[in-house]
Amino acid sequence: MSSLRAPRSLRKRQPAKLADDLDYDLETLLKEHELNGVEYRAQRDAKKPKTGETEEEDKYADAFKGYEIPFDTLPALCIERIFAMLDSPQDLYNLAFSSKFLMSLVTPRAVIRSAVFNNLRKRDKGNRKTMANIMGYINNRSIHVPSAHRMLRLLNAKSCERGDRCWGKNLNTGKAMALNRNSCNRPFGLALCDKCVKFGTTKVPYSHFSRFQQGVAFHQWNLLMNPQRDPKSGDVNGPLLEVLELQQIENTYANNDDKKSALDGIVQKALSSDGKYCPMHYEEKAAAYHEMFENAEKEADEHVAAALEKDQQKYRERRDERIAKRMTRIRSIYASLEDSLYDCPLKDLALDCRWLESDERCVKFTCHIVEQKLSNIISAPASASDRSIANAATSIKQIFNTLNEKNFFFILLH
């Protein structure tokens, strides 16, 4: 038992031996470790993906990492700017209606911009078309000017807003009929289903005086509808005038000037009694909405045009680069072909061609025989091998030698 070694845990730990060098310095060792650390951190930072476009942005990329600010504690002006930068009505709706404070900061400009700038580069412009349809009624001064919240609801509407009075309501589920997804219309400035448009409207003849009058909301040129009152808020939405009033004017007056005067009178009366704004403020509000929409459309169109021009410029640069590479390769093929046909009697005729500097074809041979033999090589010059070029040159040389032996061109000339 005495010859056995003691367990590892019971052994006496030997003190570490330092270097015998008398010039040993701890500070030197620390400096070496510090230099190694600097190199290691530099290599690690070099492998990190750069998030900013400049070194200054990369320097402060993680400056506020771990420092979070509650969104609703930001200044109101800052939140309004953020709202104006959102390009999706659905995102704006989800964010704005998350609290009463954020709801109070939603502006008509933010709602209009979110609809106009949504899916700018895609074919789907549903929200922009929906906003344009609403703006058409506002420009005609034919509906009650919707608030920012109402416009946002109209853009995100999925079902008929008439609720219990919806003609397409399902009694089993108690839900109103869903809106037509393929339609971007908001008839009379309302979110109506197809059945409410069909059964809840009044059809008038095309000769009706009010069809082209300002202040009258029409849908599909001959459909009218009464204003709708929200049962919860009590606000009146949709058309300014009732169908009954329009029809009474049609029945009472024979002269169009008298009809227009009567129409102006009931419009002023509707704005004073049911509207949120007096006639003067209504006109200012409608004009402001129209200006916001036009400015947003102009800015969006300029943005799309600039993006398309940038893409076209990149395409032209890539195309020029591709043509330059093809031209370099095709010229080398032409040089190889020229070397292979050095003893061909009709070499000049075989090699006669026209260089196309701005065309992806790059070259067009005068002789149809040569053009046909080199078609596969010219179409894909990068994949053409020396063997395929030599075979094409041999075939061309044999054909032209035969033509020369038979005096083909001498016979044609005589």
Side-chain angles (χ1 to χ4, degrees):
M1 296 294 291
S2 60
S3 61
L4 296 177
R5 298 178 62 184
R8 189 176 184 86
S9 59
L10 299 179
R11 296 181 202 167
K12 186 176 181 181
R13 189 175 299 275
Q14 298 293 329
K17 294 182 179 180
L18 299 176
D20 295 333
D21 191 358
L22 297 177
D23 297 331
Y24 173 79
D25 189 1
L26 183 60
E27 293 184 0
T28 304
L29 180 63
L30 293 177
K31 289 182 179 180
E32 291 178 359
H33 280 286
E34 185 177 357
L35 292 175
N36 293 335
V38 171
E39 294 179 0
Y40 170 77
R41 287 190 294 273
Q43 294 176 0
R44 181 194 62 188
D45 295 339
K47 295 179 180 179
K48 287 184 178 180
K50 295 184 177 181
T51 57
E53 297 180 357
T54 61
E55 295 182 359
E56 190 71 16
E57 293 181 3
D58 292 332
K59 181 179 180 181
Y60 297 102
D62 298 330
F64 300 101
K65 187 175 182 181
Y67 181 70
E68 297 180 358
I69 303 175
F71 184 75
D72 54 359
T73 60
L74 293 173
L77 182 60
C78 181
I79 297 178
E80 290 179 4
R81 291 289 183 90
I82 295 174
F83 283 168
M85 295 173 65
L86 295 178
D87 60 353
S88 171
Q90 185 176 3
D91 293 343
L92 180 59
Y93 180 89
N94 294 335
L95 180 59
F97 285 89
S98 60
S99 71
K100 292 183 178 180
F101 172 69
L102 296 180
M103 285 177 60
S104 63
L105 300 178
V106 178
T107 60
R109 179 175 178 271
V111 178
I112 293 172
R113 288 178 62 87
S114 68
V116 173
F117 282 84
N118 185 235
N119 292 334
L120 277 183
R121 301 294 298 277
K122 298 182 180 179
R123 295 182 179 180
D124 179 19
K125 296 183 180 179
N127 288 313
R128 183 171 179 174
K129 291 180 180 179
T130 301
M131 181 56 67
N133 181 254
I134 298 172
M135 284 297 163
Y137 291 108
I138 296 177
N139 294 340
N140 194 38
R141 310 298 192 263
S142 59
I143 63 172
H144 292 278
V145 176
S147 64
H149 293 167
R150 174 160 179 79
M151 279 198 301
L152 194 54
R153 291 190 181 97
L154 288 174
L155 291 172
N156 292 278
K158 303 298 182 184
S159 59
C160 183
E161 70 170 277
R162 299 192 71 192
D164 294 337
R165 301 180 62 192
C166 174
W167 285 84
K169 178 183 176 181
N170 189 321
L171 296 178
N172 292 329
T173 60
K175 295 182 179 180
M177 184 177 179
L179 301 184
N180 186 1
R181 292 184 178 181
N182 298 325
S183 176
C184 299
N185 294 328
R186 292 296 181 264
F188 317 106
L190 302 170
L192 301 178
C193 63
D194 293 340
K195 290 190 176 181
C196 283
V197 172
K198 182 177 180 180
F199 301 111
T201 57
T202 302
K203 183 180 291 187
V204 298
Y206 285 100
S207 60
H208 202 278
F209 87 99
S210 62
R211 284 188 60 223
F212 300 102
Q213 301 301 319
Q214 191 174 18
V216 183
F218 268 92
H219 178 61
Q220 296 178 352
W221 296 103
N222 64 339
L223 295 180
L224 294 171
M225 193 175 191
N226 292 325
Q228 304 294 311
R229 186 176 294 275
D230 192 337
K232 295 183 178 179
S233 62
D235 296 335
V236 180
N237 302 315
L240 293 176
L241 310 177
E242 294 186 358
V243 182
L244 177 63
E245 296 172 329
L246 295 173
Q247 191 58 39
Q248 288 174 349
I249 294 176
E250 177 74 12
N251 298 334
T252 304
Y253 303 99
N255 190 355
N256 286 334
D257 293 337
D258 295 336
K259 293 178 180 180
K260 291 180 181 179
S261 299
L263 177 63
D264 292 339
I266 62 173
V267 167
Q268 301 296 326
K269 179 181 177 182
L271 290 175
S272 301
S273 58
D274 296 331
K276 300 178 183 178
Y277 312 101
C278 66
M280 183 180 297
H281 289 167
Y282 176 87
E283 182 64 30
E284 293 177 356
K285 198 74 172 178
Y289 276 39
H290 178 64
E291 184 180 0
M292 292 176 193
F293 182 69
E294 282 193 336
N295 292 339
E297 279 201 319
K298 182 180 179 180
E299 185 178 350
D301 293 339
E302 291 177 352
H303 178 78
V304 171
L308 290 176
E309 179 61 28
K310 186 177 180 180
D311 292 345
Q312 291 176 1
Q313 180 64 26
K314 290 182 179 180
Y315 169 76
R316 288 192 292 267
E317 293 176 356
R318 291 195 301 265
R319 184 176 181 272
D320 294 342
E321 183 180 357
R322 184 169 64 251
I323 290 176
K325 291 182 179 179
R326 284 177 59 86
M327 183 65 73
T328 302
R329 177 56 180 161
I330 290 176
R331 287 190 180 276
S332 66
I333 294 174
Y334 182 86
S336 300
L337 186 65
E338 189 176 13
D339 294 339
S340 301
L341 299 178
Y342 71 96
D343 56 347
C344 180
L346 301 176
K347 173 184 176 181
D348 295 337
L349 177 61
L351 295 177
D352 186 40
C353 64
R354 179 164 54 93
W355 294 100
L356 308 174
E357 298 294 339
S358 59
D359 195 338
E360 292 190 4
R361 294 173 59 187
C362 295
V363 66
K364 182 174 178 60
F365 288 90
T366 305
C367 182
H368 179 70
I369 298 174
V370 180
E371 183 77 16
Q372 185 179 11
K373 292 294 182 180
L374 296 177
S375 60
N376 293 334
I377 296 176
I378 298 301
S379 62
S383 59
S385 61
D386 295 339
R387 182 177 179 180
S388 62
I389 298 172
N391 292 337
T394 302
S395 178
I396 294 171
K397 186 175 182 180
Q398 290 176 353
I399 293 174
F400 278 88
N401 286 338
T402 303
L403 294 176
N404 185 55
E405 291 173 359
K406 300 297 183 180
N407 295 326
F408 178 77
F409 294 102
F410 178 79
I411 296 173
L412 289 178
L413 294 175
H414 294 77

